[in-house]
Amino acid sequence: MGEIPVGVQLYTLREETKKDFKGTLQKVAALGYQGVEFAGYEGYTAKEVKAWLTDLQLKPASSHVPLEQLESNLEQVIHFEQQVGNSHIVCPYLMPERQTEKGYHVLIDSLNDIDTYCKKEGMSFSYHHHDFELKKLSTGKSALQTILEETEVNVELDIYWLTKAGEDPVEWMKHYQNRTPFIHLKDMTTDGEQFFAPLGTGGVDVKAVMQEGHRAGVKWWIVEQDHCIESPLSSIKKSLAYIK
């Protein structure tokens, strides 16, 4: 059993990709990352992006696609991702107006439809959570637990948001074994601000998470930092050094 590859979520480098998408990919590859998780393509064609990935020997780990696009334009989304060479789509965020008990039930129906269509097209589909999905519904179960019980979608567990919500990421990995192909690796400062931090510099038990990886069926570790105090490239360099 080989090592689990490490990618970076390009949302971390969103200001860099806006200025120079190809150049940012080159820097990611030079740091030693094996792949990337996309968060949009800045208007570039699938053919262009695939050529850059091939030249740089970077793999497309997955792609975050807004729920609204998945609900209204799924066929075109899948066609684009397949041209890039990507076979994994992730729903990244639920808009605030949909974060209600009724909204989650509508979401569950939508996720089931998207998942069914993705499977038909040879794609896998995951849901990425934040901390608000860990709040309890009237049933006593969290929204995330309800989503995972009432769908067959995979989940991209985010160890920062789980920790911030008072949850144990390793227990979630164990409970949803083989439904967690992607894990967002993030650290958190140990002060009251609980800000995003490079791996190994905060209080999240990243080591315990990584030790559980193979047992949980993790296919990719994805480094992400929503906001960086230092330069994002410096932060992801530190995170990769910690992993290695």
Side-chain angles (χ1 to χ4, degrees), residues 29-171:
L31 286 176
Y33 280 91
Q34 293 151 287
V36 290
E37 182 174 60
F38 291 101
Y41 294 92
E42 301 296 345
Y44 290 101
T45 66
K47 186 177 180 181
E48 287 173 311
V49 175
K50 183 173 184 178
W52 297 337
L53 294 177
T54 301
D55 288 345
L56 296 168
Q57 295 184 307
L58 281 173
K59 293 179 180 177
S62 60
S63 181
H64 277 201
V65 180
L67 179 59
E68 293 71 25
Q69 288 187 39
L70 297 174
E71 290 177 327
S72 64
N73 204 25
L74 186 57
E75 186 177 352
Q76 289 88 341
V77 165
I78 287 176
H79 181 64
F80 187 96
E81 296 296 341
Q82 288 174 333
Q83 286 184 305
V84 170
N86 173 46
S87 60
H88 308 282
I89 293 173
V90 180
C91 173
Y93 183 67
L94 186 66
M95 296 299 286
E97 62 271 18
R98 297 181 68 166
Q99 295 169 21
T100 64
E101 189 134 355
K102 181 180 177 182
Y104 285 120
H105 288 299
V106 173
L107 172 68
I108 284 166
D109 289 340
S110 190
L111 294 179
N112 276 321
D113 290 342
I114 294 164
D115 186 48
T116 297
Y117 192 85
C118 283
K119 285 174 179 171
K120 184 168 76 78
E121 296 297 318
M123 305 285 287
S124 74
F125 179 55
S126 298
Y127 183 83
H128 170 267
H129 68 90
H130 292 74
D131 56 347
F132 56 81
E133 289 101 337
L134 279 305
K135 294 176 183 175
K136 295 287 193 290
L137 302 179
S138 62
T139 58
K141 295 179 180 180
S142 70
L144 184 57
Q145 187 180 358
T146 305
I147 289 167
L148 295 176
E149 285 183 1
E150 297 186 18
T151 73
E152 293 183 0
V153 301
N154 291 319
V155 59
E156 182 171 53
L157 292 176
D158 187 303
I159 68 173
Y160 171 94
W161 292 116
L162 285 169
T163 302
K164 190 164 189 181
E167 300 283 339
D168 181 351
V170 172
E171 288 306 311

Side-chain angles (χ1 to χ4, degrees), residues 196-238:
F196 307 98
L199 298 178
T201 67
V204 177
D205 195 348
V206 180
K207 186 176 180 182
V209 167
M210 297 192 71
Q211 287 174 338
E212 189 63 28
H214 282 300
R215 285 190 295 271
V218 175
K219 305 299 183 191
W220 279 91
W221 300 120
I222 306 292
V223 170
E224 184 187 34
Q225 230 180 298
D226 300 40
H227 301 282
C228 303
I229 296 172
E230 57 192 301
S231 84
L233 280 164
S234 174
S235 286
I236 68 166
K237 181 179 181 180
K238 285 182 179 178

